[in-house]
Amino acid sequence: SAPVKPARLGLCAACHGETGMAQIPAAPHLAGQKADYLLEAMKQYRDGRRNVPLMRAAVGPMSDADLAELARWYSAQSPQQGRP
Amino acid sequence: SAPVKPARLGLCAACHGETGMAQIPAAPHLAGQKADYLLEAMKQYRDGRRNVPLMRAAVGPMSDADLAELARWYSAQSPQQGRP
């Protein structure tokens, strides 16, 4: 079943898009990426193992449940061929 | 034009696949990801800003030119719908 739209999606979508096709040059596409990988990456940004201040600020306040919801959402999206 | 197959591709392909569709659970898909993002991520693994020992060992010996070649290669691949 399709995942519920995450409550925290708006902040992420500003750069990564609602469907995981990035809106800005520095942001990666997330559509169809593995959920486990996305969750682990967000945890690494949150705790500083990935030392990227913008991402740490974005996910710092989020709970494990928030991150899991976002990982499921973006993983369930389909990569678009006409990528930006 | 299609990029030349990178000399260093074999090591990466063991986990990420030759076409960027990951072969193992912990590895992300790379097919169609932005080249700039892939290059920056590899540099972060190489210098430790992304603190992942396996990736640091893998890209540590690589030159900027090696990394750029790999980024171009994986970015030029198409994500597959039937993802592993």
Side-chain angles (χ1 to χ4, degrees):
Chain A
S1 62
V4 174
K5 189 177 278 196
R8 301 283 200 159
L9 185 60
L11 180 63
C12 312
C15 296
H16 296 287
E18 280 221 351
T19 62
M21 300 308 294
Q23 306 296 301
I24 63 167
H29 301 306
L30 304 179
Q33 187 54 273
K34 295 177 175 188
D36 287 352
Y37 174 78
L38 293 176
L39 180 58
E40 175 61 19
M42 286 187 282
K43 288 180 175 176
Q44 290 179 5
Y45 286 121
R46 191 175 57 179
D47 70 21
R49 279 176 292 159
R50 287 193 183 187
N51 184 11
V52 180
L54 186 147
M55 280 299 298
R56 190 167 197 174
V59 300
M62 294 192 195
S63 68
D64 285 357
D66 289 330
L67 300 186
E69 201 175 47
L70 288 161
R72 280 195 301 271
W73 173 265
Y74 278 122
S75 184
Q77 308 302 315
S78 295
Q80 302 303 306
Q81 287 304 322
R83 291 192 149 179
Chain B
S1 62
V4 174
K5 189 177 278 198
R8 301 283 199 160
L9 185 60
L11 181 62
C12 313
C15 296
H16 296 287
E18 281 222 350
T19 62
M21 301 307 293
Q23 306 296 302
I24 63 166
H29 301 306
L30 304 179
Q33 187 55 274
K34 295 176 172 187
D36 287 352
Y37 174 79
L38 292 177
L39 180 58
E40 174 62 18
M42 287 186 284
K43 289 180 175 175
Q44 291 179 5
Y45 286 121
R46 191 176 57 180
D47 70 20
R49 279 176 291 159
R50 287 192 184 189
N51 184 11
V52 179
L54 186 146
M55 280 298 299
R56 191 167 197 174
V59 300
M62 295 190 195
S63 69
D64 285 357
D66 289 330
L67 300 187
E69 202 175 46
L70 288 162
R72 280 194 301 271
W73 172 265
Y74 278 122
S75 184
Q77 309 302 315
S78 295
Q80 302 303 306
Q81 288 304 321
R83 290 192 149 179

